[in-house]
Amino acid sequence: AALRRRARDADLLIATCRYYADHMATYLEVPRERVKVARIGITLEGHDQGLADVSGAEAPRRAGDGPFTVGYLARICPEKGLHVLIDAFKVVVERMAGLDVRLRAAGYLGGRDRAYFEKVKRQVRDAGLEGRFEYVGEVDRQGKIDFLRGLDLLSVPTVYREPKGLFVLESLANGVPVVLPAHGAFPELLEATGGGVLVEPGSIDALAVAIEALLRDPARRRELGRRGREAVFRDYSADATAAETERVYQDVVAVRGAA
């Protein structure tokens, strides 16, 4: 109720995507036209190092050396869906019997989520995946880039409707395609970047099928990674976000001035 009262004082509200603009306009009971979208962006410095072509013309991932590696890069908590990914990963391992497939996770683990992570580790043990799963902990900026460049694909199957998805942009900036649930900001991000695959939210089988299909198709992985990388460097830099936000401000000022 307090948020709704205060929202009436604002000439402008800014959301990170169309999904969240629609959601918050309803939630705050404000006209949708007062909620503008300025897409999020990332600082690209570092993501452009060591890769052949910043435009994305050449995918950075290796062509078959080492294990197939699925990654998770997000906060370790129930809402981000690591437990969902582990269930799907178990199915992938069974379907790709005889191949070396790994799951690596990185991200902040807070005190309130330690009990959840203990359940995740038991889930890994019960599934017989201990030799295939690794949690590398929280990573700094360079550690994050190094982590991403060791992946074949990234999947963060959130169980809630994610309004941002910075990890999607970070993954694509390094040429790593993504497999994500078709809700929240993800459909918009993949429509704009072409860097991944959407699956039915909450479906373990659909997630496993999509992951397996990409692992078995290196040409498609490279193409999705190339498209995503090119789009992020073109449209999702921090500078692009600043410019888009400034345009939104200018539009509102112009309307107010005209009134």
Side-chain angles (χ1 to χ4, degrees):
L3 285 170
R4 287 168 182 154
R5 288 195 302 270
R6 302 319 322 155
R8 296 178 197 137
D9 296 334
D11 294 299
L12 166 72
L13 299 169
I14 298 182
T16 54
C17 61
R18 295 191 306 272
Y19 151 71
Y20 207 53
D22 293 342
H23 172 76
M24 292 306 293
T26 300
Y27 183 70
L28 295 174
E29 298 177 351
V30 299
R32 175 61 176 82
E33 59 268 22
R34 284 174 54 198
V35 187
K36 305 298 183 181
V37 174
R39 292 180 297 183
I40 55 174
I42 60 174
T43 300
L44 294 171
E45 181 182 356
H47 295 289
D48 58 353
Q49 299 300 311
L51 301 182
D53 187 345
V54 169
S55 72
E58 183 175 331
R61 275 297 288 155
R62 48 99 178 136
D65 58 307
F68 292 100
T69 306
V70 178
Y72 168 101
L73 177 64
R75 187 160 54 91
I76 307 296
C77 60
E79 52 266 38
K80 294 293 187 181
L82 178 57
H83 59 290
V84 176
L85 180 57
I86 289 170
D87 280 341
F89 181 70
K90 179 184 177 183
V91 176
V92 171
V93 169
E94 292 169 351
R95 290 177 174 171
M96 299 183 71
L99 296 177
D100 191 359
V101 188
R102 308 288 178 88
L103 173 59
R104 301 187 79 217
Y108 171 73
L109 174 61
R112 74 177 180 89
D113 291 311
R114 293 189 183 281
Y116 164 74
F117 190 53
E118 289 303 315
K119 291 181 181 179
V120 165
K121 290 192 288 187
R122 287 196 298 272
Q123 180 185 6
V124 168
R125 290 195 298 271
D126 292 345
L129 299 173
E130 285 182 287
R132 296 178 183 268
F133 174 76
E134 179 186 12
Y135 171 57
V136 303
E138 186 176 3
V139 288
D140 61 16
R141 179 177 176 78
Q142 186 58 52
K144 181 186 299 185
I145 293 170
D146 293 341
F147 174 83
L148 288 167
R149 291 187 182 176
L151 305 179
D152 287 288
L153 63 87
L154 181 91
S155 182
V156 181
T158 61
V159 299
Y160 76 116
R161 290 172 173 82
E162 167 70 57
K164 299 185 293 293
L166 282 171
F167 51 81
V168 178
L169 301 181
E170 292 168 332
S171 184
L172 296 181
N174 289 280
V176 179
V178 294
V179 179
L180 301 165
H183 61 194
F186 299 145
E188 292 172 55
L189 282 172
L190 294 197
E191 178 186 4
T193 63
V197 176
L198 294 170
V199 300
E200 179 186 350
S203 172
I204 301 299
D205 189 61
L207 182 59
V209 168
I211 290 173
E212 181 193 1
L214 275 189
L215 290 181
R216 291 187 182 277
D217 192 342
R220 190 177 182 212
R221 287 201 314 271
R222 285 194 295 271
E223 176 60 16
L224 292 174
R226 183 197 65 78
R227 289 182 196 167
R229 180 168 162 75
E230 186 176 57
V232 168
F233 273 83
R234 182 184 65 238
D235 300 326
Y236 287 92
S237 68
D239 288 343
T241 296
E244 190 164 334
T245 304
E246 183 181 11
R247 283 195 296 272
V248 171
Y249 288 164
Q250 295 289 359
D251 288 345
V252 172
V253 169
V255 169
R256 285 294 300 270

